[in-house]
Amino acid sequence: MNTTYKVLVCDADLFAAALAEADIYVLQLRKGKPPVFADCAGPLQKWTPEYIELGGMTYRRKDFEFRVRIPEK
């Protein structure tokens, strides 16, 4: 079974995820290496152009990738 994810890139994506109260998966980005799963932090609490707050933790947007799982139909 394959799981499909949507990467949250822009503020509109983050806003939609916040409205849906979707669980957000956090992946750490490392130069020259594939992304590493860091956390399933839960719903979005707050965001700015530089940071995202999830589950009481603050993540720098340029250092992490944020995804939501797309349910299978």
Side-chain angles (χ1 to χ4, degrees):
M1 174 169 46
N2 292 333
T3 303
T4 305
Y5 293 93
K6 164 127 177 75
V7 177
L8 306 175
V9 178
C10 63
D11 286 343
D13 294 340
L14 294 168
F15 183 68
L19 285 177
E21 297 180 353
D23 286 336
I24 297 176
Y25 296 84
V26 181
L27 286 86
Q28 184 176 13
L29 302 175
R30 301 178 302 164
K31 261 189 186 168
K33 297 183 180 179
V36 175
F37 178 79
D39 197 7
C40 177
L44 181 65
Q45 294 174 315
K46 180 180 169 182
W47 76 90
T48 69
E50 294 180 15
Y51 296 97
I52 292 179
E53 187 176 322
L54 304 162
M57 297 287 297
T58 303
Y59 300 92
R60 186 185 305 253
R61 287 173 78 162
K62 71 176 188 174
D63 295 334
F64 294 90
E65 181 176 277
F66 305 93
R67 300 179 180 185
V68 291
R69 187 170 161 228
I70 298 175
E72 294 183 21
K73 294 181 181 181

